[in-house]
Amino acid sequence: MDSDKYICVRETSPQNNVVIIDMASPMQPLRRPITADSALMNPSSKVLALKAQIPGTTQDHLQIFNIELKSKVKAHMMLEQVVFWKWVTSSLLGLVTQTAVYHWSIEGESEPQKMFERTASLMSNQIINYRCDASEKWLVLIGIAPGSQERPALVKGNMQLFSVDQQRSQALEAHAAVFASIELPGGDHSSTLISFATKTVVAGQIISKLHVIELGAQPAESGKPSFTKKQADLFFPPDFADDFPVAMQITSKYNLIFVITKLGLLFVYDLETATAVYRNRISPDPIFLTAEATEAGGFYAINRRGQVLLATVNEATIVPFVSIQLNNLELAVSLAKRGNLPGADNLIVQRFQELFLEHKHTEAAELAAESPQGILRTPETIARFRTVPIQAGQTSPLLRYFGTLLNKGKLNAFESLELTRLVVSQKKNHLLETWLTEDKLDCSEELGDLVKSVDKDLALKIYIKARASPKVVVLFAQRQEFEKILIYSNQVGYTPDYLSLLQTITQTDPQGAVNFAVKMSEMKGGSPVDYNTITDFFLQRNMIREATAFLLDVLKPNLPEHGALQTKALEINLVTFPNVADAILTNGIFKHYDRPRIAQLCEKAGVYMRAMQLYTELSDIKRVIINTHAIESQALMDFFGTLSKDWALECMKELLSANLRANLQIVVQFKEVERITRESNFYPAERTKSFLMEAKLQDARPLINVCDRHDFVPDLIHYLYVNNMLRFIEGYVQKVNPSKAPQVLSQLLDDDCPEEFIKGLLLSVRSLLSVEALVDECEKSSDIDQIHRNRLKLLTPLLEHLVSEGSKDVQVHNALGKVTIDTNNNPEQFLYTNSYYDSRVVGKYCEKRDSSLAVVAYRRGQCDDELVNVTTRNSLFKLQARYVVERMDATLWAKILDPENPFRRQLIDQVVSTALPESKSPEQVSVTVKAFMSANLPNELIELLEKIVLQNTAFSSNPNLQNLLILTAVKTEKSRVMDYIHRLENFDGPAVGEIAVGAQLYEEAFMIFKKFNLNVQAVNVLLDNLHSIGRAAEFAERVEVDEVWSQVGKAQLRDGPISDAIDSFVRAKDASQFTNVIREAGKLKAYDNLVRYLIMVRQKVKEPQVDSALIFAYAKMSRLDDLTEIVAQPNGCVANLLVVGDRLFNEELYQAAKVVFSHIGNWPRLTSTLVKLYQFQAAIEVAHKANSSKTWREVCFACVDTEEFRLAQICGLKIIIQVDLLEEVSEYYQNKGNFDELIMLMESGIGLERAHMGIFTELGILYAKYRPEKLMEHLNLFSTRINIPKLLRICDEHHHWKELSYLYIQYEEYDNAAATIMGHSPDAWDHIQFKDVVSKVANVELYYKAIQFYLQEHPEILNDLLAVLVTRVDHSRAVDIMRKAGHLPLVKPYMQAVQNCNLSAVNEALNELYIEEEDYEMIRESIDTYDNFDPIAMAQRIENHELLEMRRIAAYIYKKAGRWQQSVALSKKDNLFSDAMETTSQSGDSVFVEELLTFFVKEGKKECFAACLYTCYDLIQADVVIELAWMNNMMDFAYPFLLQNIGFLHSLSRLISQYLREYSLKVAHLMSYKNQDDVHGKLDHNLVADSNMYAQLLPLALPAPPIVAASGTFDAYAGLPAYGLLQSRGSTSPTY
């Protein structure tokens, strides 16, 4: 497999074939029988290279074949043996010999060219690969050799790198290598790289490296990039310590290196950085062949099992894998850009933005151009570059961006539009054409529209590429390239608006419009526009000529369905161009038009002749015919020739009546009888003939015309002969109608015309006559007396003259023969020598005259039936017998030998006695004999053959006749067969013997075979037919022929003892029957005899079955030394040892199987064998080599069965790393009850490097089942590596609640975890853990279940739980739960913590607790801070409380609720007068104040009275105070209030006075304004402003006491203005 296109397989069994598998259709392989040692399929074409070693030499014969052409391309004889060969390119074959490397090109006649000598390091190596780079300037040869002494199992790799230019080699240590080509950033050419993998032992340590080096690198120049050498480690797992690379492939699609090892490991590295990307095992079987899968971006590999593997890159995941798993963002971006892969979008966009922010616009442009899947190639990016300011003297960043895109490849549609706008604006159209040629632009209709304004040709190209068909068609029309419109439309399947196109074309090119319309009519499937529509289109524009030209072209087929169009074409021309219409009618182009309509138009147009021809009514013709002035005379006469007699007369009358003078001459011309009789078809022939005969015209031509045209020739000739008008007879025959000569002759003979005239007449037209007709006329009966004329002699001069002229006409020679026979002029000579007459005709003519002459004629023409009839009728059987024998015709023989033939016996007698003895021709004898055989005449045939064969005739020694005689006797006279065998010598012994066998004449057959020394056939008769093995053995002893012994051996093998059969085969040296002998000996277990036979066979043939059977026989006989010897033969044993080993194993011959499997290195089967032998330690050692899961499994289970648990663990560790086999191993151990051993195995397994989740999970399951005390520790250590769902089920089944809850937590199923903990709290509950779990549950109901759970089981830490749930639970519901449970005090801290939510349920619950605790301070704080509760209910509950502070709080609550009266009443009840005064003051109701004052007065609480005046100052009227104080003698306690009141009034009076003064001044000032309106407006405005100012100066409260008059009474009105700003309210004193 040198490419991903073909796989070539060489089959050696059952026969040598070459199978070619096309990867495009792998289910249809091509198989060819080819006996070559090696075959290679060309990487790209069906060319096959074959190599075969010439026996006995070291030379190789090379051939190259083209399979498709079935021809040999080249051939060459290599003097050295080719040890390795490979297609290095599709036209170059690489040949590696023991000493050198050659290249052989398949082109031309060149021979292989030597490239370089192999280095010493590769001399003893096995060559495994040879490669060259793309330029064929660098070559590399790879070989492997046995490992070093310190590490013999590690194969050593050697590489020879050769430079063609430098003609130098370099030897390196490497196992695999590959060339690559890479373009470095900023470079102007690609660089050639070589990557090779090495694995060496240095100081006892294995070092594995991957190298990437540039070849032919020049010294670094300024500004030019170079590739830096890279190397990376190849990490091989411990189990693959002796593995080594066997192949390397590079995918140019992603620039990734694939390193494939022998044991199936795959390493993936980045080519540019040598960074490791991926590693995995892709095949459990060794890989020996790989090829790059170019299109898939991967490689194909073939392993030892014959599987074809395809490894490719997962485009969807590789970039995320590199960026996330490998944390290599730079490589991820590089991969995404170079492979156009998804997964790095965010990284690339982020990098693009960073570059823009750093003003690195060139780098940003390159990044956008290379962005995978064009994520940055958007309108936004273009807009961003457009916004970048242009620096003086520099190119626009937008143009640099477009330049970068063009260098990288093709622009998308939007980019193409934007760039084109720039180019068009700068008038650089040549750039567009260049880019379009290079396919750099994405053509679209919009792009074409943009370019159309500056370059229509370029726009047309764009439209075509964009498949903008309407625009393409319009441009073609504008360019008058009408044919291209149809061609383009057909190519792209577009249907344009043809009528609009036609209109466009008509405006510029009328003739082009016609051509276009005609082209439309020729389109496949018919015209897209109806012909009528096109015609009307032209006519609407008065384009008569164009319409006519179109119609004449499309109506050429002259179809009936075009009748209407034909009529239209004639109509439009008769109206406008009558001459054109007349020409059309004259040419007969149209046949299906409307004739009456056209006739009328012709009449109107003056085309009278055409009108008459078209009219079908006499009245119409008569109306038109009178226009003779416009009708040519000749045409009119021709027209009269087409009319009937009556119509012609009517038309003549019309002419004469219309214009006698002018038309008389025309009418008179019709007296020309001769012309009329010659041309007219409308006169009565019989009457005309009679009339002309009666007229007795001197010129008989009219009569001749009538009689010739109407077949009155006998009457004509009779008339002319009787009237002695012989010259007219001659003229008629010679000039008018020579074909009527026979009729003329017949009539002349009836009229007894002289023979001289007849002979002369016939000779005058000799070559124009029908001789057959003349003969018939001369022979037939006369019409007068019905007597045969027999006047053939009359034709003799004519016939002789014709023969002398060389005539070969059969009729001529038939007639001449008849004349010769009648005249008896040596007729035999004529019949024998003339080769032109018809034998059947002449022979029949002879029958009544001379039957012997008839026989001669019939014999000459092989007229079998006629000859048999005439000879039978005349008893000429001798002639008949001679003819039949000479004729040699099987059909004729069958007819005459028919049993129904009454004359058969007479004929047979003549054949036996006369005809056949006279014959000297073997063929005649053979045909005759066959005829007798076919006629089933055995007795007659024997009689015939004995006469011929046994009587010394010319045919006595004829082998065929001798064969026939014996065969006939075999069929009819078996008793004569033995006598014939002894008497005859020349018969075909083999054939006759076989026939005798078929006829069951076995002794006769044996005698025949024996007589002819056909010993094999003879012994076969004895064995197969006579069934006498004894006679056969005696016969074999006598003849001593190998083939005979072989046949005897076969018979003995079937029916006799196996030992005798083997003796016979050995004496025969027959190795061909080894299959049957092996089978029969195996059935009889005769292995000793079989060994003797197989040893002989092995000396003659090399067959796998023979060696296999011999090995098996040795095993059965316990001859292990012999078995070992034959197996160990280097090239002597060709047995299929794998099949033999399997058979030995199945037969329980394990020791022998061990020898076989050891020799072939089939480690899996050898392991199985050692297991059967209970050699477990050896089995494990071999299993390491097999490294197969199946093998390890077998050894493991066997060790478990025998309780070899230490060894079982070694094997088990190899198995459990395979996920699919893990459960099987576990079940096997458990079924055996070996739980501890299984746990030890799993515990060891989790420490493996390749330990997977299944091992950790299975160990957890085992702990759960058998060691629960270890389960929790296991979970804590490996929870992230366990299949949690699987272990959850097991823990649930075994009631491991703590572990179950832990797994639920790890699996983030917090609901189940919480439910499990609450359901099984004795085992699973842990407060800290539960708090963490319950805070993450999704089911809200679990919160409340958790509260109830804690309330029941852990009430002391319920508040701790609630603190966690404080943001999650409904506090009202939680309080309700506690209230129902009667444990509100338990959650007091919780309620205090959540009271800030101001919830009614919480507030009321807390208040209840505070009441119960009589904590009045907390109650007051609660009701002051949180108002969401029922205050009245609470106040009513505590207003009768025994604690004063509680009642005080009730009054406080009433006050806050606005129930002033209840609050004051409670305060007064408890003597809390300050509270009462404060409540009254806050109520704002003066009535309440007066009531409280009255209460104090009544109770004599003078101090309280004074305090209340101060507290409620703003609500108390001075008059009320004075009245109460004066009447209750409390004036002293009222003075403070009164003083304050008077002071307030005094201050108010001063303010008012000041205000009035200022007001007066301002009025006076404003009056000076001239405009009184403005003055008043301004005054009003100022007044308002001043009033506002004074209002602002007034205090909110006036604490000063009122002024006391000198008399000791209150002067309420002192200092007040006259109009009084203050008034008394509510005074009850009569003094007021």
Side-chain angles (χ1 to χ4, degrees), residues 1464-1465 1467-1468 1472-1481 1483 1485-1501 1504-1505 1507-1509 1511-1512 1516 1524:
V1464 171
S1467 298
K1468 290 192 293 185
L1472 298 173
F1473 300 123
S1474 62
D1475 292 348
M1477 287 185 285
E1478 184 179 352
T1479 302
T1480 304
S1481 175
S1483 70
D1485 190 344
S1486 59
V1487 176
F1488 285 158
V1489 175
E1490 293 177 2
E1491 290 178 354
L1492 183 59
L1493 290 173
T1494 304
F1495 170 76
F1496 288 145
V1497 170
K1498 288 181 180 180
E1499 295 293 327
K1501 304 293 184 179
C1504 293
F1505 176 79
C1508 184
L1509 292 176
T1511 304
C1512 302
I1516 303 173
L1524 288 174

Side-chain angles (χ1 to χ4, degrees), residues 995-1004:
I995 294 173
V997 171
Q1000 298 183 359
L1001 299 175
Y1002 303 127
E1003 293 294 344
E1004 288 81 355

